[in-house]
Amino acid sequence: MADAVSPLRRSPGRPTWVRTRKGRPQLMLSRRPRRRLGALGRCGRRRLRRRLLQAQAAGADWSEGACPGARAETPRRPKAAAPSPVPSPAPRPLPGPLPAPAPSAPSTVPIPPVRAAGPGRVLLLLPADQGFTFSGICRMTCLYGQVEVLGFVINQGQPAHDIFSAYTHSYLTINAVHYSMPEKSKKDIKREARALLRAHLNLEDRSWAMKNFSPLCSIVLLERLKSTTVNFITSHPGSSAIFEQESTSQVTAECLVLRSVGIKREKRKKGLQLTASTLSALEELVSASCEEADGCPVILVCGPQDVGKSTFNRYLINQLLNSVSCIDYLECDMGQTEFTPPGCVSLLNITEPVLGPPYTHQRTPQKMVYYGKPSCKNNYENYIDIIKYVFNAYKREAPLIVNTMGWVTDEGLLLLIDLIRLLSPSHVVQFSSAQNKQMPNLSPDYVDDTDGLYTKSKSRVRKRGFPLPEFTDSLEFADEEKDSPVLFTGHKLLRVNSEFSFRKTPRNRDSHNRIFRDLTVLAYLAQLLPPVPKPLRPLHGLTPYQVPFNAVALRVTHSDVAPTHILYAVNASWLGLCRILDDVRGYARGPILLAQTPICDCVGFGLCRGIDMEKRLYHILTPVPPEELRSVNCLLVGAISIPQCVFTSQRGLEGTIPYVTTDYNFKLPGASEKIGVRNTEKEKLPKGKQHPRSKFHRKMKFLKERDASSQLNCGGAGGVSGRGGEARSPQPCSPPCSS
């Protein structure tokens, strides 16, 4: 009787609910006991869950601290017949009551698919035909097996690859690929895999991998990526969240492990999804490129805007690199370039896979011409001449992929027909979607019977092709082939039905494209900075090149500027560093002005940091090596503007920010509110109809408004220092923005 009464005795100052709470099974976080006993609130429960998961990730067993007596009093439920199909590192607290695990039963928690392998390192084990979709950036090494990322197959023993899965584009997926198994026993295969892992993992991590090893699985090591380009882009306001992962309300042990690397698991449906027609076109193009007879096909990709042409090109490049050593790429879309800053027509030789958005893989082209604008409207003939000039450098030693503009209506369609006739592709990949059905099928018969802007249709019937004598000089042929007329065969049309969904509308398309162009310019400017682990330096802290006035010629490509204001247009502007055939030496003082825009080679780009009027020098920042700069004798100024954050967010500035003004004179010759904005025709919307802004646009607007409270808006380039040292009026060719 005494034993039955003793639990009811109360000690002074000890609440009843505290003793009752201690007698309950620990980690009992259901709603009903919490309301009755007042145990944990919402924030307290989340904090407790986070601490328990951190302890689980560190290797501690939090279930050992449970009260055995309380567990014995809790009614037990029979175990389920089938285990849960989704493995979890720890039992997840749910709103409903859960049974407490029996103390005598062994732990049956399944092994999670990821494991921390040290600071900033995660070990990922992928069974056959399974994938891992993620957001963020990391460096991936395939330790055993074979995986595929964006069409590129990575085998064991290959060097590490940097992967960029940014939220501005479709998330990437690491897929385990079937590979041929040698005729060995499972014990020998494990011994071979253990030997491959010994150089990268410690004994404990190797034991975990071998415990969960299967003959067809792939073992991947993910490491935190440190890149100067990423650090420079994220250091500017509005771009700091490009590579960050969105916060989640449910924090699991796997989330904590992956967060140490800088990535986050995403749903498979958020990754890149390819349609059946896309896979069929890729298979046929890869097969045509691997044939010995037609080993150098010319593949032209066309279609409306926002249907996935650039994503298809990246996937095709990676697929071809699995079979051939290099790919040639002709960029004809100056508004959304892939490997260079915007406003260029370029030819590149690609030897490395493309595993990210354009602003993560800037390359040096073989040949490049700076057009100066993101669109070729109102100057089509110059655009065609530039493409001819660049295409002349193609040697037909590797497959060529031609990227075209998304403008496929009116003059844009006629211009595309001219390109098909001039470049004579062997395959034309035409994209179509349910939202864009106005584009006709570009079959050989349609192209043959339709007039372009500068080429005429052929009315006579041909059996094999059509001659283009006016384009003979643009290609290189053997001596025995030059006597005969050039005969191009008709192309093969591949239709691709795109289900690519992106909520771009005529209302927000320009803002999206401008953001992507700014990110590309920032990525190019990041080449000025020293590599990691050295800290970032502000651009005003770098030493510029000094270029005399009489050493280079000047030309503003997009607008007519009075000679008295030409230096205002050059100062604090984006410059194309070009070389022309004319000799500009011999002029005493300068500046030297060109009457027409030349079609010439562009070796790179730079930023005019300032102009010294006393010494008559341009101060230019550029990542182009000095041996290439010795041949530069022309500076081209176009409509491609420097991002405003470059002027307003440089660290270490005190007082008045250079090149930022609130007093802008629009009456100066060449001044315009629309300089730097892509010249596209706005579609007139019916009254009362407004397109909803996308999530990407809302997020970028929020980031910019958040930083604008403490930053001044950029008003274009600043003043040119005169002889007396005082600042003059701002340059007239930058996009104005009054603060």
Side-chain angles (χ1 to χ4, degrees):
M1 179 66 71
D3 295 339
V5 177
S6 59
L8 299 178
R9 296 176 182 175
R10 299 182 181 181
S11 58
R14 189 176 181 86
T16 304
W17 68 269
V18 174
R19 292 186 295 108
T20 309
R21 175 184 168 189
K22 281 196 170 186
R24 300 287 296 180
Q26 294 193 14
L27 300 176
M28 199 71 168
L29 303 179
S30 63
R31 294 180 180 176
R32 184 176 179 180
R34 186 179 71 244
R35 286 197 299 265
R36 184 171 62 232
L37 302 177
L40 294 176
R42 180 179 179 183
C43 296
R45 185 180 64 175
R46 186 179 301 172
R47 185 162 47 250
L48 176 61
R49 184 189 304 172
R50 187 183 302 112
R51 291 176 180 175
L52 295 177
L53 292 176
Q54 289 175 353
Q56 174 74 13
D61 188 6
W62 46 264
S63 62
E64 294 178 357
C67 178
R71 292 176 182 269
E73 295 175 0
T74 305
R76 300 178 182 178
R77 295 182 182 180
K79 295 183 178 180
S84 175
V86 181
S88 60
R92 175 187 293 180
L94 296 176
L98 292 177
S104 59
S107 176
T108 58
V109 178
I111 300 296
V114 297
R115 175 184 173 86
R121 288 159 55 96
V122 168
L123 194 62
L124 175 64
L125 194 144
L126 290 175
D129 297 332
Q130 288 196 12
F132 176 77
T133 304
F134 69 98
S135 61
I137 59 176
C138 64
R139 176 165 293 174
M140 189 197 70
T141 306
C142 184
L143 303 182
Y144 183 82
Q146 196 176 65
V147 295
E148 178 261 338
V149 181
L150 199 61
F152 184 73
V153 178
I154 303 174
N155 300 312
Q156 62 187 32
Q158 291 186 355
H161 292 81
D162 297 341
I163 304 179
F164 303 87
S165 183
Y167 81 91
T168 56
H169 293 70
S170 298
Y171 290 138
L172 301 184
T173 303
I174 303 176
N175 295 306
V177 181
H178 271 289
Y179 51 89
S180 59
M181 289 293 299
E183 297 181 358
K184 298 180 181 179
S185 63
K186 186 176 181 179
K187 184 177 181 180
D188 294 337
I189 294 175
K190 278 193 172 184
R191 186 183 297 110
E192 180 183 356
R194 189 179 292 107
L196 293 174
L197 300 179
R198 187 174 292 112
H200 303 275
L201 305 175
N202 56 26
L203 179 60
E204 185 178 357
D205 296 332
R206 293 198 305 269
S207 301
W208 176 86
M210 291 298 101
K211 182 180 179 181
N212 301 275
F213 181 83
S214 60
L216 291 178
C217 73
S218 299
I219 303 176
V220 175
L221 179 63
L222 304 178
E223 300 175 282
R224 176 175 287 275
L225 176 61
K226 297 180 180 179
S227 171
T228 304
T229 301
V230 174
N231 295 340
F232 183 73
I233 291 178
T234 55
S235 65
H236 293 84
S239 303
S240 58
I242 292 295
F243 303 104
E244 292 182 0
Q245 304 83 46
E246 297 182 0
S247 60
T248 177
S249 58
Q250 298 180 353
V251 180
T252 62
E254 180 182 293
C255 292
L256 297 175
V257 172
L258 295 178
R259 188 179 299 174
S260 64
V261 183
I263 61 177
K264 173 179 172 289
R265 182 191 286 269
E266 300 288 349
K267 296 181 180 179
R268 188 63 182 261
K269 64 181 181 180
K270 292 186 177 181
L272 179 62
Q273 306 291 334
L274 300 179
T275 61
S277 58
T278 303
L279 295 174
S280 176
L282 289 170
E283 182 180 0
E284 183 170 351
L285 294 175
V286 172
S287 177
S289 301
C290 295
E291 295 179 359
E292 296 183 359
D294 301 324
C296 298
V298 178
I299 305 168
L300 187 141
V301 182
C302 61
Q305 294 181 349
D306 310 324
V307 293
K309 298 190 301 296
S310 299
T311 304
F312 177 85
N313 289 336
R314 298 186 200 109
Y315 204 98
L316 178 59
I317 289 174
N318 294 335
Q319 287 265 292
L320 292 176
L321 288 178
N322 295 329
S323 305
V324 298
S325 58
C326 61
I327 307 294
D328 287 337
Y329 187 88
L330 179 61
E331 182 63 80
C332 299
D333 186 3
M334 300 177 297
Q336 299 298 326
T337 54
E338 185 69 30
F339 299 101
T340 63
C344 302
V345 176
S346 58
L347 177 67
L348 300 97
N349 186 261
I350 309 300
T351 58
E352 298 293 333
V354 182
L355 303 177
Y359 49 86
T360 61
H361 48 250
Q362 293 292 290
R363 309 283 175 85
T364 301
Q366 286 182 329
K367 200 174 191 66
M368 177 173 60
V369 175
Y370 184 48
Y371 185 83
K373 293 190 296 184
S375 175
C376 66
K377 288 189 176 181
N378 304 325
N379 199 357
Y380 310 113
E381 188 174 0
N382 190 30
Y383 175 71
I384 291 291
D385 293 338
I386 289 176
I387 292 180
K388 288 182 180 180
Y389 179 79
V390 175
F391 185 70
N392 188 29
Y394 177 53
K395 305 300 182 182
R396 292 189 179 271
E397 297 176 352
L400 176 65
I401 300 176
V402 182
N403 184 36
T404 60
M405 300 181 296
W407 181 32
V408 292
T409 58
D410 302 330
E411 290 87 355
L413 178 62
L414 303 181
L415 195 62
L416 179 59
I417 293 176
D418 288 338
L419 289 182
I420 294 177
R421 288 177 178 167
L422 295 180
L423 302 180
S424 182
S426 58
H427 298 79
V428 173
V429 182
Q430 181 178 352
F431 276 77
S432 61
S433 63
Q435 293 79 15
N436 298 276
K437 298 181 179 180
Q438 70 275 16
M439 187 177 180
N441 292 337
L442 298 179
S443 62
D445 294 337
Y446 180 84
V447 175
D448 193 32
D449 298 335
T450 306
D451 294 336
L453 282 179
Y454 300 101
T455 59
K456 301 298 181 181
S457 62
K458 306 295 182 179
S459 57
R460 61 182 182 275
V461 178
R462 298 175 307 277
K463 294 182 179 180
R464 295 186 58 187
F466 46 89
L468 288 177
E470 67 274 8
F471 204 52
T472 306
D473 298 335
S474 299
L475 302 176
E476 294 187 359
F477 298 93
D479 295 337
E480 61 273 9
E481 296 177 352
K482 291 183 178 180
D483 298 335
S484 60
V486 181
L487 190 67
F488 292 119
T489 58
H491 62 269
K492 182 175 183 179
L493 179 63
L494 300 177
R495 295 296 307 273
V496 174
N497 183 23
S498 173
E499 297 179 0
F500 185 79
S501 60
F502 198 103
R503 295 187 62 183
K504 284 187 182 180
T505 63
R507 180 179 178 181
N508 60 17
R509 179 176 287 114
D510 286 342
S511 61
H512 278 86
N513 296 338
R514 194 181 308 114
I515 291 172
F516 290 150
R517 288 195 291 269
D518 289 348
L519 291 175
T520 305
V521 173
L522 289 177
Y524 188 88
L525 291 176
Q527 303 177 22
L528 290 166
L529 305 176
V532 291
K534 295 183 179 180
L536 293 178
R537 297 178 58 188
L539 296 182
H540 61 81
L542 303 177
T543 303
Y545 290 96
Q546 295 182 353
V547 182
F549 279 7
N550 58 356
V552 292
L554 299 178
R555 174 65 181 174
V556 179
T557 62
H558 65 287
S559 180
D560 294 331
V561 181
T564 55
H565 295 93
I566 194 70
L567 293 182
Y568 295 104
V570 174
N571 192 26
S573 294
W574 184 254
L575 303 177
L577 310 181
C578 307
R579 50 172 177 250
I580 57 178
L581 299 178
D582 299 335
D583 189 5
V584 299
R585 294 175 298 179
Y587 293 89
R589 294 175 58 84
I592 305 171
L593 306 182
L594 296 178
Q596 295 181 351
T597 302
I599 298 178
C600 55
D601 293 342
C602 180
V603 301
F605 298 91
L607 187 154
C608 184
R609 177 182 163 183
I611 299 177
D612 191 339
M613 297 298 296
E614 294 182 356
K615 299 181 180 180
R616 309 190 72 79
L617 295 173
Y618 304 109
H619 295 269
I620 299 177
L621 292 173
T622 177
V624 179
E627 55 271 13
E628 292 286 341
L629 290 177
R630 293 188 180 95
S631 62
V632 173
N633 57 0
C634 179
L635 303 179
L636 297 182
V637 182
I640 306 301
S641 58
I642 301 174
Q644 298 180 3
C645 57
V646 173
F647 298 102
T648 59
S649 63
Q650 293 299 310
R651 300 178 181 177
L653 294 177
E654 297 180 359
T656 304
I657 302 178
Y659 310 117
V660 177
T661 182
T662 58
D663 184 14
Y664 192 90
N665 188 3
F666 291 98
K667 297 182 180 179
L668 291 175
S672 174
E673 294 180 343
K674 298 182 180 180
I675 295 300
V677 180
R678 191 172 187 181
N679 186 17
T680 56
E681 294 182 357
K682 306 275 186 180
E683 297 184 10
K684 295 183 178 179
L685 302 177
K687 292 184 178 180
K689 182 178 180 181
Q690 294 182 353
H691 294 276
R693 294 185 181 273
S694 65
K695 180 179 179 182
F696 171 77
H697 182 275
R698 295 195 301 267
K699 186 170 184 179
M700 296 302 297
K701 183 179 180 181
F702 168 75
L703 293 174
K704 289 185 177 180
E705 290 178 352
R706 182 186 64 182
D707 300 323
S709 59
S710 59
Q711 298 284 352
L712 291 176
N713 292 330
C714 174
V720 181
S721 298
R723 295 181 181 272
E726 62 179 289
R728 298 184 182 178
S729 57
Q731 60 94 6
C733 292
S734 298
C737 182
S738 59
S739 59

